[in-house]
Every structure is written in C-alpha cells, then in structure tokens.
C-alpha cells in the first residue's frame, strides 16, 4: 500500500468507524463509500436486533423478488451467468407453506425457529433488510429421491414459514414441476 492510500484507509477507519477490510474495499475501488457505509449501518442494526428479546423483534412480511435476473441471489457464490449455467431451466412455483413442509427433505427442515442460535444472526440481517423495504428472491430447491432439498435461501424460507405466510414462491427445475405438484397433493 502506498502512503496516500494508507492515510486514506486510516481516515476511513478513524473518522467513520470502518473496519480495515471495508476501508480497503473503498480505497482500492472494490466498492464505493456509500455502499460500504450502507452495509455497515445494516450490520449495526442487525447487531442491535440481536440484543433484543425475540418478542421485541419486528415481524416484517417477506416480499419476494421474482425477477429472473435476481434469482442467483438465492444462492451464495453465484452471479447471474453461473446461476443460469447451473440451472438453465429454473422456474418459479407457488406453494402452500403447509404442504411444502411435508415434502422437504429431512436436512432441509428447520430444527428450530428463526430465533434459534444457529439462525438468529442471519434472521436479524434478513429482518433489517425487509424492514428497509428490501425484497428477496425465492429459495432454490432441487428434487431427488430424498425429497425436496433447499439448496439456497433457507433463512428467508424459514422466516416466511415462521410468519405463516400461506403461500410462497420457490425456485425449481422446470423438469421437476409435475413431480413436485404430485408430492404436494399427498
């Protein structure tokens, strides 16, 4: 790091409370100041929410983003292109949450609610996002002999189910639609 960039990083850290990684991302052009600051504020709000009792949490409804260009956000590690390569026949399917619970593979079922220790921090981030008017893409699912597997978006799916949203969208492979429809009837 050259001296000027070091000073700029230190300024962001000292004057704005940025962590070294955040300051580095701004100084070296990976992200702009406004985006990093917005993420930091969301993180602080999420952290504050973790300090509250479950009963004090807001309960924002999940607002779904059904735009195909955002489906990759259902899964970590994908951009639009890699998602489309892996799931070229992805489609949205609307399901009743009560029926969905019955056909999920055992490891895709929640062992607790969104406030359970394993889910609490991601639930807090999701709640803050939803409170600020954010939308989320549906959970990505894959079907095999073991049932319907949630391969991305489990926290948002878990939050919607916790809120007892009657009907929710999921992402499926088009070729699995008929079989999923049959499973949902049972």
């Amino acid at each position: 790091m050259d001296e000027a960039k070091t000073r700029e990083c230190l300024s962001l850290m000292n004057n704005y409370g940025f962590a070294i990684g955040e300051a580095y991302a701004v100084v070296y052009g990976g992200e702009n100041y406004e985006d990093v600051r917005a993420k930091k504020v969301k993180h602080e709000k999420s952290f504050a929410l973790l300090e509250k009792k479950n009963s004090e949490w807001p309960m924002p409804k999940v607002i779904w983003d059904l735009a195909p260009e955002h489906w990759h956000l259902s899964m970590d590690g994908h951009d639009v292109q890699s998602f489309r390569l892996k799931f070229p026949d992805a489609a949205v399917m609307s399901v009743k949450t009560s029926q969905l619970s019955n056909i999920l593979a055992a490891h895709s079922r929640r062992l607790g609610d969104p406030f359970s220790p394993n889910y609490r921090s991601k639930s807090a981030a999701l709640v803050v996002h939803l409170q600020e008017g954010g939308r989320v893409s549906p959970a990505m699912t894959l079907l095999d002999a073991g049932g319907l597997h949630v391969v991305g978006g489990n926290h948002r799916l878990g939050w919607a189910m916790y809120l007892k949203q009657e009907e929710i969208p999921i992402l499926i492979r088009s070729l699995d639609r008929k079989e999923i429809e049959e499973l949902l009837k049972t």
Side-chain angles (χ1 to χ4, degrees):
M1 229 188 295
D2 68 35
E3 190 174 324
K5 291 191 182 219
T6 299
R7 278 195 306 276
E8 192 175 349
C9 280
L10 289 172
S11 173
L12 289 171
M13 293 166 59
N14 293 330
N15 297 327
Y16 300 100
F18 280 24
I20 184 68
E22 295 166 335
Y24 190 88
V26 171
V27 170
Y28 284 90
E31 296 189 53
N32 66 45
Y33 171 82
E34 290 79 17
D35 290 344
V36 172
R37 184 72 189 136
K39 285 179 190 175
K40 186 167 188 58
V41 168
K42 276 189 175 186
H43 178 74
E44 289 166 355
K45 288 179 180 179
S46 296
F47 190 75
L49 200 52
L50 291 172
E51 301 297 316
K52 294 184 176 190
K53 295 178 189 172
N54 301 351
S55 61
E56 296 173 341
W57 280 40
M59 297 288 162
K61 182 179 177 183
V62 178
I63 306 299
W64 300 103
D65 180 353
L66 302 179
E69 62 270 19
H70 298 148
W71 290 353
H72 69 284
L73 299 172
S74 293
M75 300 182 69
D76 295 337
H78 280 284
D79 58 19
V80 173
Q81 184 179 3
S82 65
F83 183 86
R84 287 186 179 154
L85 283 172
K86 187 163 185 158
F87 306 106
D89 66 334
V92 174
M93 180 177 188
S94 186
V95 296
K96 294 192 181 305
T97 54
S98 57
Q99 294 173 311
L100 180 61
S101 298
N102 296 330
I103 67 166
L104 285 176
H107 72 272
S108 288
R109 294 185 190 134
R110 290 286 172 147
L111 299 176
D113 61 36
F115 304 107
S116 299
N118 291 346
Y119 312 132
R120 193 171 170 83
S121 65
K122 286 204 173 185
S123 295
L126 175 62
V127 166
V128 168
H129 178 72
L130 294 171
Q131 270 190 299
E132 294 181 351
R135 298 171 161 263
V136 293
S137 54
M140 182 67 205
T141 62
L142 296 175
L143 182 67
D144 69 14
L148 194 64
H149 302 266
V150 177
V151 295
N154 209 330
H155 292 92
R156 60 194 75 175
L157 179 63
W159 186 257
M161 293 174 91
Y162 178 78
L163 294 178
K164 297 181 171 63
Q165 287 187 233
E166 189 174 315
E167 200 161 306
I168 59 173
I170 58 172
L171 296 174
I172 62 166
R173 292 180 301 194
S174 294
L175 60 101
D176 293 334
R177 182 179 296 276
K178 287 190 188 293
E179 192 173 348
I180 293 171
E181 287 171 348
E182 287 302 312
L183 285 170
L184 287 168
K185 290 178 185 176
T186 59

